[in-house]
Amino acid sequence: MSVIQALDWITLTAPRQDMADSNVASNSRQMLESLLNKSMRIQMTDGRTLIGLFLCTDRDCNVILGSAQEYLKPTDSLAHGEPRVLGLAMIPGHHIVSIEVEMDSVSSPQYM
């Protein structure tokens, strides 16, 4: 996976190589493991944004966020409203437009 920095968030993009290469698959797995319990912002196809802690994903690119909050896309009548607390949320991979990781959570050490 390649990483693009933007302000306080890092945008993740999918690798362009064939995933059959074991080295690329290993690197991708390590990247995903390093993102566990990090704060993610996911933009969805319907305009909603979910922010929460990255807990897991699967081969279909579905993502599970913990402590998730939902932000509706801004409209003329409703600017930045209060977020809706979802808790645990599953986002289908085919509805994901972009994924960003908060830089502070990436650089902070992970304690278990």
Side-chain angles (χ1 to χ4, degrees):
M1 291 187 176
S2 61
V3 176
I4 302 169
Q5 291 187 2
L7 299 176
D8 292 338
W9 294 86
I10 298 172
T11 303
L12 303 177
T13 58
R16 304 229 187 266
Q17 299 176 357
D18 182 15
M19 288 303 291
D21 181 13
S22 63
N23 191 25
V24 173
S26 176
N27 289 341
S28 297
R29 181 183 176 100
Q30 289 176 349
M31 174 67 159
L32 280 174
E33 287 176 355
S34 74
L35 296 175
L36 287 173
N37 298 313
K38 306 299 185 206
S39 182
M40 282 192 166
R41 177 169 48 196
I42 298 180
Q43 303 283 335
M44 297 177 56
T45 54
D46 61 2
R48 292 180 292 161
T49 301
L50 298 178
I51 298 177
L53 299 177
F54 174 63
L55 298 180
C56 70
T57 187
D58 61 14
R59 67 179 60 188
D60 296 324
C61 297
N62 300 317
V63 173
I64 305 286
L65 293 181
S67 304
Q69 295 183 344
E70 174 187 50
Y71 295 84
L72 300 178
K73 72 177 178 181
T75 61
D76 293 337
S77 62
L78 180 64
H80 296 274
E82 290 293 316
R84 183 170 78 152
V85 177
L86 300 177
L88 196 61
M90 193 281 285
I91 302 100
H94 63 276
H95 287 295
I96 296 175
V97 174
S98 69
I99 298 176
E100 299 172 328
V101 180
E102 190 173 19
M103 286 178 56
D104 290 342
S105 68
V106 171
S107 60
S108 64
Q110 190 176 27
Y111 300 102
M112 300 208 161

